[in-house]
């Protein structure tokens, strides 16, 4: 059985007025306005926070990129400074070595009774593989053809050769290993006299000839060969080389002796040209 509700006009009007009064009361109390303000504030705050986060991230990224660029620039500057420092260190080492070589050379030059001229090697003749050494001193400096040339290397004095060509500012030395070079020499220990000649290459040993077989037992590898000074072409008692091999030949009355030059010509940089006819004014004695 269905239940039917019937409203009278007076009851409907009363209900409508009751609803209207409640709504009006709510708006009058500001309840809806406050809710809308809070909702808007929440939305705006969230939006502002998101925008601020994005902007901060972008700013930090640009700052990091800029800082990285600055670090790269600083790294390049420091790397270049390190290279310059290493170059300076190498230069200082080279200068120190050069000063030591010059000091050694000047000290030796003062012990020579003959007038002498220190010189720098500026070239070598490629046609005969180092045979022909060019120096930076010539006739304007007092150099003359035929002057003997010596050098000091690692504290050891040795014969280099003699001047064969003289220009105004440069000269050419024929070294002892040249096949055309012959030097009257003695074996330092036994004082036996012989003739030393080159074989055309600084890597090849020199040849000492005319040493009699009878002295073979008195000789040893490593014995020093010195200039005799008898021909007056070279200073007396200047070391030339060391004996490296001794051969006894049945068909020859003389020994075949090989000699290694006392000067390492591949490392030779400076020499001293001597004038046998003039006295060294700065001579200090040995």
């Amino acid at each position: 059985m269905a239940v039917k509700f019937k409203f009278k006009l007076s009851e409907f009007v009363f209900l409508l007025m009751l609803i209207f009064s409640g709504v009006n009361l709510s708006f009058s109390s500001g309840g809806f306005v406050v809710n809308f303000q809070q909702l808007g504030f929440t939305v705006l705050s969230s939006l502002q926070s998101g925008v601020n986060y994005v902007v901060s991230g972008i700013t930090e990224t640009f700052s990091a990129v800029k800082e990285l660029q600055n670090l790269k620039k600083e790294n390049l500057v420091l790397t270049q400074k390190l290279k310059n420092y290493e170059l300076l260190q190498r230069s200082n080492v080279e200068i120190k070595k050069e000063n030591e070589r010059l000091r050694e050379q000047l000290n030796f030059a003062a012990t020579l009774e003959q007038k002498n001229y220190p010189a720098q090697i500026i070239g070598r003749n490629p046609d005969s593989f180092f045979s022909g050494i060019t120096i930076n001193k010539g006739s304007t400096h007092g150099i003359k053809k035929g002057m003997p040339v010596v050098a000091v290397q690692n504290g050891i004095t040795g014969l280099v050769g003699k001047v064969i060509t003289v220009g105004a500012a440069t000269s050419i030395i024929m070294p002892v290993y040249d096949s055309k070079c012959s030097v009257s020499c003695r074996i330092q220990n036994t004082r036996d006299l012989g003739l030393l000649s080159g074989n055309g290459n600084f890597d090849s040993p020199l040849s000492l000839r005319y040493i009699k077989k009878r002295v073979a037992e008195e000789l040893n590898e490593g014995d020093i060969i010195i200039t005799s000074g008898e021909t007056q072409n070279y200073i007396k008692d200047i070391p030339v080389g060391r004996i490296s091999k001794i051969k006894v030949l049945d068909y020859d009355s003389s020994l075949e002796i090989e000699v290694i030059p006392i000067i390492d010509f591949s490392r030779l940089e400076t020499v001293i040209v001597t004038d046998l006819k003039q006295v060294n004014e700065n001579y200090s004695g040995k």
Side-chain angles (χ1 to χ4, degrees):
M1 180 177 179
V3 179
K4 295 183 180 179
F5 295 93
K6 294 182 180 179
F7 293 96
K8 295 180 179 180
L9 179 59
S10 59
E11 293 174 348
F12 178 78
V13 171
F14 174 77
L15 181 61
L16 184 62
M17 289 180 66
L18 183 61
I19 294 172
F20 177 79
S21 297
V23 172
N24 186 39
L25 181 62
S26 298
F27 274 102
S28 298
S29 63
F32 288 154
V33 175
V34 172
N35 290 337
F36 283 130
Q37 287 178 344
Q38 289 178 347
L39 179 61
F41 176 77
T42 301
V43 173
L44 290 175
S45 297
S46 299
L47 181 61
Q48 184 179 10
S49 177
V51 171
N52 182 66
Y53 178 78
V54 173
V55 172
S56 298
I58 294 174
T59 303
E60 290 177 358
T61 301
F62 277 108
S63 298
V65 172
K66 186 175 181 180
E67 184 177 357
L68 181 60
Q69 290 176 343
N70 291 335
L71 288 175
K72 286 183 177 180
K73 290 180 181 179
E74 291 178 3
N75 183 57
L76 289 175
V77 172
L78 291 174
T79 301
Q80 187 60 45
K81 286 183 178 180
L82 180 60
K83 289 181 180 179
N84 292 338
Y85 175 77
E86 291 175 349
L87 180 61
L88 182 61
Q89 287 294 97
R90 288 195 296 269
S91 298
N92 288 338
V93 171
E94 288 300 319
I95 291 172
K96 184 178 179 180
K97 288 181 179 180
E98 179 66 20
N99 288 338
E100 289 175 354
R101 286 193 295 266
L102 291 175
R103 188 181 301 109
E104 184 179 54
Q105 186 175 358
L106 290 173
N107 289 339
F108 173 72
T111 66
L112 293 175
E113 297 183 22
Q114 300 80 8
K115 188 172 183 179
N116 54 80
Y117 308 89
Q120 188 85 20
I121 294 176
I122 58 174
R124 304 174 194 265
N125 187 353
D127 293 335
S128 51
F129 202 69
F130 286 10
S131 185
I133 300 173
T134 304
I135 58 174
N136 64 343
K137 295 289 176 68
S139 58
T140 56
H141 304 93
I143 307 298
K144 297 181 179 65
K145 184 177 180 180
M147 284 184 173
V149 183
V150 296
V152 182
Q153 195 176 63
N154 299 323
I156 300 174
T157 304
L159 182 67
V160 175
K162 66 177 180 180
V163 176
I164 57 171
T165 304
V166 180
T170 60
S171 300
I172 297 177
I173 300 168
M174 180 174 64
V176 292
Y177 57 79
D178 191 289
S179 57
K180 302 182 188 66
C181 185
S182 295
V183 183
S184 176
C185 292
R186 288 186 183 277
I187 299 174
Q188 189 177 52
N189 293 337
T190 65
R191 310 307 297 178
D192 288 285
L193 184 66
L195 187 66
L196 192 72
S197 58
N199 291 306
N201 193 312
F202 79 98
D203 274 340
S204 301
L206 311 175
S207 296
L208 180 63
R209 295 174 292 167
Y210 308 121
I211 302 296
K212 301 300 182 181
K213 285 182 178 180
R214 55 183 172 80
V215 300
E217 294 183 359
E218 301 177 43
L219 304 181
N220 297 286
E221 292 185 7
D223 285 351
I224 296 176
I225 308 301
I226 58 175
T227 55
S228 67
E230 291 188 358
T231 59
Q232 297 183 349
N233 291 327
Y234 297 94
I235 302 173
K236 186 179 180 180
D237 294 335
I238 296 294
V240 184
R242 292 185 175 90
I243 294 177
S244 59
K245 186 180 292 185
I246 303 170
K247 293 182 180 180
V248 179
L249 303 176
D250 295 334
Y251 57 85
D252 198 334
S253 61
S254 299
L255 297 172
E256 185 176 295
I257 300 175
E258 293 184 359
V259 177
I260 299 298
I262 207 160
I263 292 292
D264 184 350
F265 285 90
S266 65
R267 296 184 176 182
L268 187 62
E269 298 180 58
T270 56
V271 298
I272 300 174
V273 183
T274 58
D275 188 343
L276 300 180
K277 297 180 180 180
Q278 296 191 51
V279 177
N280 181 9
E281 297 177 355
N282 299 317
Y283 176 63
S284 61
K286 297 184 180 180

